[in-house]
Amino acid sequence: MALAIRPAKSKLTAWVFLRALLRLAIPVILLLLVYALAYVLMDEYITAFDIFPDDKWYLNPGYWLTAGHLVLPLAWLVSSFTNRRYGEGYSLAQLLVAWLVVGLVAYVIAGMIESGLPASPLPSRRVSLAFLFAIVLGQIVGVYVFDRTRGRTWWGAPLFSALWGQTVFVLVFYPLSYIGMSDPWINFMLMDLAIKIASSFLMLIPYFIFRGLVRPLPGYGGA
């Protein structure tokens, strides 16, 4: 009897694993697209809000603000939809797989640069490591907050997830990247934090529009 049960159990386990991978495909691809778009646009500086004179250049966001800064918050929106649909475990797996892919791509690009082949310029190692640590930590916090605030109001989980996650990202990234340097990084940090807070509220609009299409699986009600 035991021998008859074991093959069925193995087959079920393999199917569950395959189904989990298939479920992760679209969330991971969407997250990677956000990362790729933010990277491509990191050289597109936004100067439309520069209103201060040249002697106060450090107050003008155009000195450092890029379109990539405005795209990056979408990473929390994508994670919120994954959490809404599949729960906390899938959201964390989505982040893990996406960052493994990012790490592999960064390793390949670094190898191309060392080999003298043409490649896109990368930020300094300090900034890159600070960004990696800050965004991974910020997104994990976002996943954690979403899972523990869902089910009360439709807007609570995505809003608090983005607010807490992006705040952690900003407060970790800038000190790790710029402390000890001459750049007025505190001004950059405060302006970026204001942008991230505003984006957390603005992202409720697409979340509300598409939440009907991304319905929670049984057992993941609310949000």
Side-chain angles (χ1 to χ4, degrees):
M1 193 63 149
L3 294 176
I5 293 176
R6 284 174 187 170
K9 184 176 181 181
S10 177
K11 184 178 180 180
L12 179 61
T13 302
W15 165 244
V16 170
F17 179 74
L18 178 60
R19 186 175 61 179
L21 289 179
L22 293 175
R23 282 180 175 178
L24 276 176
I26 293 179
V28 168
I29 291 173
L30 290 176
L31 198 55
L32 290 174
L33 287 176
V34 172
Y35 294 153
L37 185 59
Y39 174 75
V40 169
L41 295 177
M42 72 178 186
D43 290 327
E44 298 294 329
Y45 290 90
I46 299 175
T47 60
F49 306 104
D50 293 354
I51 60 175
F52 295 96
D54 293 341
D55 60 330
K56 297 186 183 299
W57 57 270
Y58 52 87
L59 295 177
N60 288 318
Y63 173 71
W64 62 274
L65 180 64
T66 70
H69 287 88
L70 305 183
V71 170
L72 191 59
L74 293 176
W76 277 268
L77 179 63
V78 172
S79 294
S80 290
F81 276 122
T82 303
N83 209 338
R84 168 176 166 79
R85 174 70 174 173
Y86 299 119
E88 183 181 33
Y90 270 90
S91 297
L92 293 175
Q94 174 194 27
L95 299 182
L96 175 62
V97 174
W99 279 109
L100 284 176
V101 174
V102 170
L104 178 62
V105 172
Y107 177 80
V108 172
I109 293 177
M112 293 173 63
I113 294 176
E114 291 178 358
S115 301
L117 298 177
S120 301
L122 293 174
S124 68
R125 179 172 297 181
R126 175 179 176 179
V127 173
S128 299
L129 292 176
F131 177 83
L132 176 62
F133 178 74
I135 195 168
V136 170
L137 180 61
Q139 288 196 276
I140 290 175
V141 169
V143 170
Y144 180 88
V145 172
F146 186 101
D147 195 62
R148 282 148 186 81
T149 54
R150 67 185 303 162
R152 301 172 187 174
T153 58
W154 71 266
W155 52 266
L159 176 61
F160 295 136
S161 171
L163 281 175
W164 278 97
Q166 294 194 94
T167 298
V168 168
F169 165 72
V170 171
L171 296 182
V172 171
F173 170 68
Y174 284 93
L176 289 180
S177 298
Y178 299 109
I179 194 168
M181 301 178 66
S182 59
D183 299 68
W185 60 271
I186 294 181
N187 290 327
F188 304 163
M189 181 178 68
L190 294 178
M191 284 189 282
D192 197 19
L193 181 59
I195 292 172
K196 295 295 191 289
I197 291 174
S199 71
S200 298
F201 286 91
L202 289 174
M203 284 190 297
L204 289 178
I205 298 174
Y207 187 88
F208 177 78
I209 293 174
F210 293 107
R211 63 189 292 267
L213 299 176
V214 186
R215 296 186 178 277
L217 292 180
Y220 297 107

